[in-house]
Each structure stands twice: as structure tokens, then as C-alpha cells.
Amino acid sequence: MKATDIMHPEDQKAIGALKKIPFIDEMCRSCMEIAYEKIYRGENLGMMVKVDNSYMPELYQDLKDVTKAIGIKTPELFIYNDPVMNAFTFGETNPFVCVSSSLVEKMNREERKAIFAHECGHILCQHVLYGSVVETLRMIGEDFGIIGYTLTGPVKLALQYWSRRSEYSADRCAAAVVGERTFQTSMLKLTLGLADVGNDPYRLVKQAKEYHAHEKQDIWSRIQQNCRVAFLSHPQKVNRAYEIDRWKKSSTYKRIRQSIATNEKLYGNIS
């Protein structure tokens, strides 16, 4: 799988603009390797439990199956104690994936693969590398007060907008690996926080249509909703469900799913 296969068009556009900054790749990668990765890996080793071939091997095998399907190196895997279902990834030279205990308990094996594939989609698209630009701007602008908010505010808004689009790209990776129906059930569980979400995996897709009608009923409603989500780093759950429901009809989705199915027959089950 190539990053360009799954990247949302506005995600591609934003990263393309960042890549035009001289030496941005080298600077971000050096900062990640020397500082951020070591700091956060130390936190993981100190505060979480590492999963590997000898500890919770089935869970680790699921991650390896996902990375095999995507075509990337398997990152380190950690579990942390949290009643909220969540997961995140970090790192560029030595990436890792962290998942909450609640997610491990409440999702079935295929749904957990969807989450792994989403996080690995971020790795494939190098979102963490360029996302470090967001964090650096935040630190300079807010923590140290070197740059005033009048300058960093518009930049932050633009970067948060990109962050939301990057999530759509990672969602596409998840749907491509496990199938869009499984993606929808995992998204429903993340939204509800329940292990049993009923028998309608497309509930969020249907609700998205109702939300979009509410959002577009007049100009004031549109302004309200746009302002409400402007500083969010992730899209609303209904929009994520809706985007994948649209993308499943694309030739790219069908081609990737067919490729994965072919590899299953040749090399064994990987999804």
C-alpha cells in the first residue's frame, strides 16, 4: 500500500506545502529522533505495559498482520490503563502504537485490527513527522510567548484543519485493511464506549445525514457548526463514518481490498 492510495486530497495538499519548506524533513526527523521519541518511549516503558511475541502474543500478532497488509515495519505496541477507548501513535524513526485497556477489552479482534490499521495509516503517511510542526508552533507561540497568538492563531487553525483531514486518511487505511463494515462497528464503539453496540453498524452514517441537514439548514447554523469544530484535532465521529461510507464506492478502495484478498490466498490470512 502507498500513502497516496489512502491520503485525503486536502491531506496531500497540506503535506505537499510543508515539504516545500527547506530542510523541513531533516529538521523534524532529527528533533523526533533526538528528543521527542526518546522522551515518550521512556514514558511508555515507565508507565505502560509492552506487548510482544512473549506477552499477549495474539494481540501483537494482530498488529503484525496489519503491518504486513500495509507494508510497513511493525511498531512497538503498548497498553495503558484508561476506561476510555482510545489509541495513538508517535515516532518517525522508531514509531510506537499505544492502545487503552478499555479498547482491548471492548473491541473484538477485527475491530482492534481496524484501530491498529488506523494508527499505522498515520505512520504510512508520515503524519507524526509533520505533526511535530504543529507541536513546535504551539510551544513557541503559547508556552514561551515568543510569537503572539495573533500570528500563531491562524496558523494553528490551518494546521488543525489539516489534522482533521489526516484522520480521514488514516481511516481509509483502516477500512482498506479490515473492510468498511468492520471500520463502522469500531467507530460506533469508540463513539458509544460500549462493548455491545447493537446490530446496525451504519448508525453513524445515517446520523451523519441528519447532522448535515441540521448544519446546512441556514447560514447561521453553518457558521455555528464551523466555529464549534474549528479547533478540534479530529473530525466528528459521524463525519468519519460518512467519509468512509462514500470512499468505499471508489475504485481505489476496491483495488486495495482485492489486493489484500489476493495476498491472503498467497501468503495466509492477514486481515
Side-chain angles (χ1 to χ4, degrees):
M1 192 184 300
K2 298 178 182 178
T4 51
D5 290 335
I6 61 168
M7 287 181 79
H8 188 278
E10 292 179 55
D11 182 10
Q12 283 185 307
K13 188 188 301 182
I15 287 184
L18 285 171
K19 284 185 174 183
K20 292 179 181 178
I21 301 174
F23 307 111
I24 188 68
D25 280 30
E26 292 81 358
M27 288 188 295
C28 288
R29 193 168 281 112
S30 294
C31 287
M32 292 285 289
E33 185 175 8
I34 295 171
Y36 291 125
E37 283 187 3
K38 291 183 180 296
I39 291 171
Y40 292 130
R41 185 168 187 270
E43 181 176 321
N44 294 349
L45 289 169
M47 303 292 290
M48 304 180 190
V49 175
K50 185 177 178 180
V51 175
D52 54 27
N53 287 320
S54 62
Y55 186 76
M56 296 190 177
E58 182 180 272
L59 190 63
Y60 189 62
Q61 183 61 49
D62 289 343
L63 177 60
K64 290 197 293 184
D65 289 346
V66 166
T67 56
K68 182 179 178 182
I70 297 170
I72 63 171
K73 180 182 176 182
T74 303
E76 289 188 308
L77 177 61
F78 294 88
I79 299 176
Y80 63 97
N81 184 13
D82 197 320
V84 177
M85 284 190 280
N86 200 10
F88 62 89
T89 186
F90 196 84
E92 169 63 20
T93 54
N94 294 292
F96 55 79
V97 171
C98 301
V99 295
S100 71
S101 53
S102 179
L103 187 147
V104 175
E105 288 182 334
K106 293 180 179 179
M107 289 195 175
N108 65 36
R109 196 168 185 181
E110 290 304 304
E111 290 161 351
R112 290 196 296 263
K113 285 185 180 182
I115 302 303
F116 288 153
H118 173 94
E119 300 306 329
C120 289
H122 283 307
I123 296 172
L124 177 66
C125 294
Q126 295 186 299
H127 288 149
V128 174
L129 178 66
Y130 297 109
S132 64
V133 176
V134 180
E135 179 64 15
T136 300
L137 283 171
R138 186 195 66 77
M139 290 175 61
I140 292 173
E142 298 175 15
D143 294 357
F144 299 109
I146 296 173
I147 302 175
Y149 184 78
T150 53
L151 292 178
T152 60
V155 174
K156 184 175 180 179
L157 278 171
L159 289 171
Q160 290 294 77
Y161 179 83
W162 163 63
S163 178
R164 293 194 295 275
R165 269 51 195 173
S166 73
E167 292 299 322
Y168 288 143
S169 300
D171 284 347
R172 289 180 176 186
C173 188
V177 172
V178 301
E180 54 83 25
R181 183 183 177 91
T182 299
F183 169 83
Q184 296 293 358
T185 60
S186 67
M187 188 56 53
L188 198 52
K189 285 190 176 182
L190 286 176
T191 306
L192 287 168
L194 299 174
D196 184 357
V197 293
N199 57 4
D200 183 5
Y202 297 101
R203 181 66 185 176
L204 287 177
V205 177
K206 297 171 183 176
Q207 192 169 310
K209 296 173 183 177
E210 184 178 352
Y211 170 73
H212 294 156
H214 169 76
E215 177 188 31
K216 296 174 182 177
Q217 60 184 327
D218 53 52
I219 186 64
W220 181 235
S221 295
R222 188 183 294 272
I223 291 171
Q224 285 179 324
Q225 297 306 313
N226 286 341
C227 290
R228 185 177 61 80
V229 303
F231 284 96
L232 298 180
S233 62
H234 285 57
Q236 299 176 109
K237 299 291 198 307
V238 292
N239 285 338
R240 294 174 66 178
Y242 185 75
E243 282 292 314
I244 290 302
D245 194 61
R246 292 199 307 172
W247 190 63
K248 73 180 183 183
K249 302 167 187 173
S250 70
S251 59
T252 302
Y253 170 78
K254 294 173 183 176
R255 173 174 56 80
I256 297 173
R257 289 295 296 157
Q258 181 58 48
S259 176
I260 289 175
T262 300
N263 286 336
E264 285 181 7
K265 293 178 181 179
L266 292 175
Y267 306 113
N269 185 36
I270 58 172
S271 67

